[in-house]
Amino acid sequence: MSFLSEAVRRINPSPTIAMTQRARELRASGRDVIGLAAGEPDFDTPAHIREAAAAAMDRGDTRYTAPDGTPALKAAIAAARARDWGETVAPAEIQVTAGGKQALFNALLATLDPGDEVIVPAPYWVSYPDIVRLCGATPVVVPTQAQDGFRLRPEALAAAITPRTKWLILNNPGNPTGAGYAAQALAALAEVLAAHPQVWTLSDEIYGPIAFAPFEFRSFTAVAPALRDRTLIVDGVSKAYAMTGWRIGWGIGPTPLLDAMRKVQSQSTTNACSISQAAAAAALEGPQDFIGESRAAFRRRRDAVVAALDACPGLSCPEPEGAFYVYPSVAGALGRTSRGGRALADDAAFCEALLEEEGVALVAGSAFGLSPHVRLSYAAADAVLAEACARIRRFCDGLS
Ligand code: PLP
């Protein structure tokens, strides 16, 4: 008999966090390593947000809050949602959580039983299938194609739905590909879902503000209002406001689901950090210049990285619509041998050899359920990205 639970034995530690840690250790041992494995903005949290946190501490916002968040932050979320996406939401439909990840976790724990199925398009954010497994349910992974922009096709969705399907998880714009679903693509999926009333949609929109024209981000419920009573929006300040360490996210959905999520939250972390909640309210209510400025920086970096990687022999790099990742194919490099004598059998071997020989840390596509690809996060300074791309180029030029 194992001391560890069956549930925990079903899941893996996050491979992106593992690769980031590996790069950190190599750097600590004196190696010159560029880490592009982590999914977080390189910018500092804007000053007015940090000041709001200090003010919150000074005025004594240091106690438990309501499990679903302070009234002030919930009001700020509702106002920002109306301002940014034209969506009206009541405070009872919002739950503030410790990062977007906890909103996802609360919702899945509150709804999944063994035997239930959750449709997860691949490539996926690493946590989706493992949270589903932790809840005892079954992730049904549906691969997407690079030629479809890594977007789930309505026919593929229809084919994957069974009587046991409880959720579809959509991520727009997506991690690890940066793929964005325009209104028409969302409407086509909504049409399929309309015929299956047992299927809920979890729309993870945490990268919503990081979208590059001409692509226009639209919230799922704005496109498919008829599905609102079976949709959970997951959002947060981590990516858009460079606040990954503050741990503030939220879920927006129908009250019966939210009540169940509040129950889970009240028996786990109680509430998200009171000081971070004040900071998040300031982020949503204060000046929004940071969003435009960081989006422009990400766009500039995307353009530079896509051009550089697409020119590498063996790589082919599609242009993403949002977030801060590229997901090039390494198919043309596999079956070859690196300058250091490593055989590149798969995308994991590619990443391993690149890290050892050129000191660039990426994450293998196998971690995200679609090979042969690698994910590069371009949330790093332009000069760092230029150096990383030069090293990747040298690595690819050296393959035989
Ligand atoms: N959703 C996606 C697609 C993500 O990539 C991440 C973070 O990497 C999250 C949710 C979680 O965000 P948070 O840090 O707010 O928990």
Side-chain angles (χ1 to χ4, degrees):
M1 194 180 91
S2 169
F3 173 65
L4 298 178
S5 67
E6 247 185 70
V8 94
R9 281 183 284 143
R10 279 194 292 268
I11 64 168
N12 303 301
S14 160
T16 48
I17 293 175
M19 193 57 162
T20 307
Q21 183 57 23
R22 177 91 196 284
R24 220 177 265 140
E25 283 163 12
L26 283 174
R27 218 177 285 124
S29 75
R31 290 275 307 277
D32 166 24
V33 171
I34 302 178
L36 301 176
E40 69 178 339
D42 54 314
F43 308 115
D44 289 331
T45 305
H48 70 279
I49 300 175
R50 288 181 270 132
E51 284 155 14
M57 280 189 277
D58 290 346
R59 73 171 173 258
D61 280 3
T62 52
R63 300 175 185 278
Y64 292 129
T65 74
D68 57 350
T70 62
L73 176 54
K74 289 171 66 173
I77 291 167
R81 195 156 166 75
R83 175 193 66 206
D84 297 340
W85 316 128
E87 283 281 277
T88 308
V89 39
E93 298 172 311
I94 301 172
Q95 180 186 38
V96 175
T97 50
K101 196 181 243 176
Q102 198 188 19
L104 190 83
F105 196 89
N106 287 354
L108 296 181
L109 196 62
T111 54
L112 293 179
D113 287 314
D116 289 342
E117 295 174 357
V118 177
I119 297 175
V120 182
Y124 44 70
W125 178 41
V126 294
S127 294
Y128 298 143
D130 270 342
I131 296 178
V132 170
R133 283 189 202 102
L134 201 53
C135 296
T138 306
V140 175
V141 173
V142 181
T144 64
Q145 311 285 334
Q147 61 264 31
D148 293 331
F150 297 111
R151 282 178 286 273
L152 177 65
R153 294 180 68 100
E155 313 84 85
L157 170 61
I161 293 174
T162 76
R164 309 230 59 163
T165 308
K166 237 178 196 167
W167 288 96
L168 159 68
I169 299 185
L170 270 188
N171 183 201
N172 177 32
N175 174 4
T177 62
Y181 288 80
Q184 220 177 2
L186 291 177
L189 295 177
E191 199 180 316
V192 174
L193 293 163
H196 299 277
Q198 87 281 13
V199 183
W200 286 58
T201 304
L202 190 156
S203 184
D204 181 343
E205 304 182 354
I206 203 152
Y207 294 100
I210 310 173
F212 312 123
F215 171 71
E216 222 181 291
F217 169 79
R218 298 283 306 281
S219 182
F220 186 70
T221 47
V223 175
L227 298 183
R228 208 180 149 146
D229 62 354
R230 49 184 169 110
T231 298
L232 179 74
I233 305 288
V234 171
D235 202 346
V237 289
S238 299
K239 316 285 177 173
Y241 296 93
M243 293 179 70
T244 45
W246 299 76
R247 309 310 302 132
I248 297 292
W250 52 87
I252 297 176
T255 311
L257 171 65
L258 270 280
D259 284 343
M261 289 170 60
R262 279 186 268 270
K263 208 152 96 178
V264 174
Q265 173 109 358
S266 74
Q267 296 293 16
S268 56
T269 60
T270 302
N271 60 263
C273 167
S274 57
I275 300 152
S276 296
Q277 289 192 61
L284 295 170
E285 286 173 336
Q288 299 296 301
D289 315 306
F290 177 79
I291 299 278
E293 287 159 15
S294 57
R295 187 196 293 129
F298 284 137
R299 186 190 183 106
R300 184 179 69 236
R301 294 164 178 183
R302 176 200 68 171
D303 293 347
V305 167
V306 167
L309 295 186
D310 207 42
C312 291
L315 306 194
S316 145
C317 189
E319 181 179 87
E321 286 84 23
F324 39 68
Y325 308 103
V326 289
Y327 201 63
S329 163
V330 296
L334 300 191
R336 308 182 71 190
T337 304
S338 68
R339 210 176 255 134
R342 292 177 172 82
L344 304 186
D346 54 22
D347 51 22
F350 181 97
C351 286
E352 183 66 28
L354 181 67
L355 180 60
E356 289 301 327
E357 297 178 25
E358 291 289 353
V360 178
L362 307 181
V363 186
S366 49
F368 308 102
L370 196 82
S371 292
H373 290 264
V374 293
R375 186 190 78 173
L376 178 151
S377 161
Y378 56 83
D382 299 62
V384 171
L385 291 171
E387 171 63 15
C389 288
R391 292 185 189 189
I392 295 170
R393 175 66 192 244
R394 193 163 58 208
F395 179 79
C396 290
D397 280 341
L399 299 180
S400 55

